[in-house]
Amino acid sequence: TAPSVIYHIHMTDGTVVNLDNPSKLPEASKINYIEEPYVKASIMTPKEYVGAIMELCQEKRGIYQTLDYFDDTRMILVYEIPLSEIVYNFFDKLKSYTKGYASFDYEYSAYRRGELAKLDVLLNGTVVDALSSIVHRPTAYHRGVAIIRRIKNVIPRQQFEIPIQAAIGGKVIARCDVKAVRKDV
């Protein structure tokens, strides 16, 4: 399953629901807006990797705060980043961008309103709840394509074609197929 964080769902009737499982997200017509947790991330790094780290943080929807010099060779970058982006592959990318020289610390900051949507994965037309996740709507297509391609590589070929789809609401945003085994003579 995809890692998840706790979201605050503000309903149209004024109530607030804490959501930790994307499969329990209420229908879109009942949701006013969704808030996601942000963290204040401090990254200490040698100065030659600052550009790469800033690119990574921008890619992960980070909000720049400060850049301080720790000494002549090391710097501390401070960003506010959604916790869901940190949980999803941030640390591995940080270590690979900096060849293992960066250190990373974060603390809870606040909940902020976000443009979020539930991404469903459908196997052969059936929604698989374990693969559902809440994603940032502008990046949903890229996240959906990445998930279905990984699933396609895992599922073996069958006697029939298996469609794998990523959908938001009822709209399919990405699709790939596991081809059927044919009789090649």
Side-chain angles (χ1 to χ4, degrees), residues 30-31 45 49 60 68 105 121 123 127 133 136 141 178 181:
K30 295 181 181 179
I31 297 173
T45 180
Y49 302 116
K60 296 289 187 176
D68 297 323
D105 185 33
V121 175
L123 286 173
V127 175
S133 61
H136 190 238
Y141 172 74
V178 176
V181 177

Side-chain angles (χ1 to χ4, degrees), residues 57-103:
C57 291
Q58 295 295 329
E59 174 187 315
K60 296 289 187 176
R61 300 187 293 135
I63 301 167
Y64 174 78
Q65 299 292 312
T66 62
L67 173 65
D68 297 323
Y69 285 89
F70 187 71
D71 58 23
D72 292 340
T73 60
R74 292 179 289 181
M75 304 175 97
I76 299 176
L77 278 161
V78 179
Y79 271 86
E80 285 205 1
I81 304 174
L83 183 58
S84 60
E85 296 288 347
I86 288 178
V87 170
Y88 188 76
N89 206 17
F90 181 81
F91 191 70
D92 293 337
K93 283 189 174 183
L94 178 67
K95 288 299 183 180
S96 67
Y97 282 17
T98 61
K99 299 178 185 164
Y101 285 111
S103 63

